[in-house]
Amino acid sequence: DEDFMQSLPLPPNTVIYAGTSGPRASWLPFGNEANDGILALDEVASEDGEHVEVAASHTFIMNSRAVLDDIVRRLATPPTTAPR
């Protein structure tokens, strides 16, 4: 339910990793739109949280070296603003 999903608050400093390595072809469900094989890129982008595009399919986003490197970098960098 779209209304329910939009009503869920995101915690401060949330980062959403969005995969872009899903198959693309005019005859596939997502057509030529960027996707991770399960979700289209525009389904994961949120106004309340930052999103990072990753060249990975849905199941393997958590194993992506780019995601790991980004998390390590974020943990090593002090926040520029105080949490809400």
Side-chain angles (χ1 to χ4, degrees):
D1 178 33
E2 183 67 25
D3 290 333
F4 172 74
M5 293 303 292
Q6 292 302 320
S7 74
L8 296 174
L10 288 177
N13 303 316
T14 297
V15 178
I16 300 165
Y17 294 96
T20 59
S21 290
R24 298 182 200 185
S26 60
W27 54 271
L28 289 171
F30 294 112
N32 289 310
E33 184 177 358
N35 70 87
D36 66 7
I38 301 294
L39 296 171
L41 187 58
D42 68 354
E43 292 178 293
V44 296
S46 171
E47 294 176 14
D48 297 329
E50 178 183 353
H51 80 274
V52 176
E53 295 179 22
V54 181
S57 61
H58 189 83
T59 307
F60 298 104
I61 292 171
M62 65 184 174
N63 297 330
S64 166
R65 172 54 94 181
V67 170
L68 175 64
D69 290 345
D70 187 63
I71 291 170
V72 168
R73 180 187 60 78
R74 287 171 189 275
L75 290 173
T77 306
T80 55
T81 59
R84 295 187 228 170

